[in-house]
Amino acid sequence: LESLNIPITITEIGSNSFQNCTSLKSVTLPSSITVLEDDTFNYCESLVMIKIPESVTTIKNQVFNSCKSLKEIIIPLSVTSLGNGVFYGCSSLVRYSIPSSINLIGKECFSYCSELTELEIPKSITKIPNSLFKGCKSLKSFNIPSHITSIEDYAFYNCESLCELTIPSSVVSIGNNVFDYCSSIKQIEIPSSVTSIGCGVFSNCINLTKITVPESTKTIGGLAFSRCSSLVNVEILSPINVLKFS
């Protein structure tokens, strides 16, 4: 099976319907479909093109997980939510713009998209979800938009090429291991809005040389700067910071 054109008489496609159809290259979905269920095209490793109709409102968990040949995909404005790991392991996906209609993004949505270099997050999203960019090894720069208030655990874990990052003053919390193994980061500015920094947040940032923790930060998690072998200057401006090792 290399090509699939689903007729309009079909109103529902069940979970795992085309899982491991490794020769499937193109799919056209009918306007009668409103939901893409879990794992629908999971491990369709040859899939390069899919047209998602404007009738679709929800894309559930791991729908395109490990679709390694998928380079570009257009999600219509009708879609309001992306489930967990929707594009996990889509190692050929280079750029993606999340439509403004999206108000929910699940964890690991773009994890291990190893060629991803660009991603736009709409104003409707106020947090960077858990492991969103985990293992995105080609991501070199990222400006976190000013509507983001929290960066969740492992958000940029092992983004080894990430060297330019801007954290806006809207962010109040940075979760655990957010920049763990981001080995290209040399300096990073934490804004005065941040009140808590999680465990291992800068662990294994081997080229990080300097960091200033603002007065607003009251809690720094354990192992926050573990194995930062180039770190020579850590300035903690608040006298009441608590270092937590639990």
Side-chain angles (χ1 to χ4, degrees):
L1 181 66
E2 292 188 358
S3 179
L4 182 66
N5 192 341
I6 299 174
I8 199 166
T9 52
I10 301 298
T11 58
E12 182 178 339
I13 301 172
S15 301
N16 306 91
S17 289
F18 302 101
Q19 179 171 308
N20 288 313
C21 288
T22 55
S23 297
L24 186 63
K25 293 181 178 180
S26 66
V27 176
T28 301
L29 298 172
S31 59
S32 51
I33 298 294
T34 58
V35 177
L36 294 182
E37 298 288 351
D38 294 351
D39 304 292
T40 305
F41 299 101
N42 197 4
Y43 286 95
C44 289
E45 296 181 350
S46 299
L47 185 66
V48 294
M49 192 278 289
I50 182 167
K51 185 176 181 180
I52 299 176
E54 293 184 358
S55 56
V56 173
T57 59
T58 303
I59 299 177
K60 292 191 176 181
N61 302 326
Q62 297 182 305
V63 169
F64 301 107
N65 177 29
S66 297
C67 290
K68 296 180 179 180
S69 299
L70 193 65
K71 292 184 177 181
E72 189 174 355
I73 187 167
I74 297 174
I75 304 293
L77 286 170
S78 56
V79 177
T80 58
S81 65
L82 296 174
N84 298 333
V86 169
F87 299 105
Y88 187 107
C90 289
S91 54
S92 294
L93 190 66
V94 175
R95 62 181 60 88
Y96 180 73
S97 179
I98 300 173
S100 59
S101 57
I102 299 289
N103 53 45
L104 178 65
I105 301 175
K107 65 181 181 180
E108 300 183 323
C109 197
F110 298 95
S111 286
Y112 297 101
C113 290
S114 56
E115 294 298 317
L116 187 71
T117 59
E118 296 178 29
L119 187 88
E120 294 181 18
I121 298 178
K123 291 183 179 180
S124 52
I125 302 299
T126 59
K127 65 181 181 181
I128 296 182
N130 187 313
S131 304
L132 184 66
F133 298 108
K134 186 177 184 179
C136 291
K137 295 185 176 184
S138 296
L139 190 68
K140 293 182 178 181
S141 64
F142 191 79
N143 290 326
I144 297 172
S146 59
H147 47 84
I148 297 296
T149 59
S150 66
I151 306 172
E152 296 195 339
D153 299 351
Y154 297 93
F156 295 93
Y157 181 90
N158 199 25
C159 289
E160 61 182 30
S161 298
L162 185 66
C163 58
E164 296 180 20
L165 183 82
T166 302
I167 302 176
S169 58
S170 56
V171 172
V172 296
S173 65
I174 301 174
N176 299 329
N177 301 91
V178 167
F179 302 107
D180 196 350
Y181 284 102
C182 289
S183 55
S184 295
I185 290 179
K186 293 181 178 180
Q187 293 189 23
I188 192 165
E189 183 176 341
I190 300 174
S192 58
S193 55
V194 173
T195 59
S196 64
I197 296 173
C199 297
V201 67
F202 296 106
S203 287
N204 302 292
C205 290
I206 58 174
N207 284 304
L208 184 67
T209 59
K210 178 182 179 181
I211 191 163
T212 300
V213 179
E215 189 175 352
S216 59
T217 303
K218 307 304 178 186
T219 304
I220 302 175
L223 303 173
F225 309 105
S226 174
R227 294 182 292 277
C228 291
S229 53
S230 299
L231 190 62
V232 294
N233 190 336
V234 178
E235 188 175 5
I236 299 176
L237 300 181
S238 174
I240 56 171
N241 277 53
V242 177
L243 292 168
K244 298 181 69 176
F245 291 92
S246 57

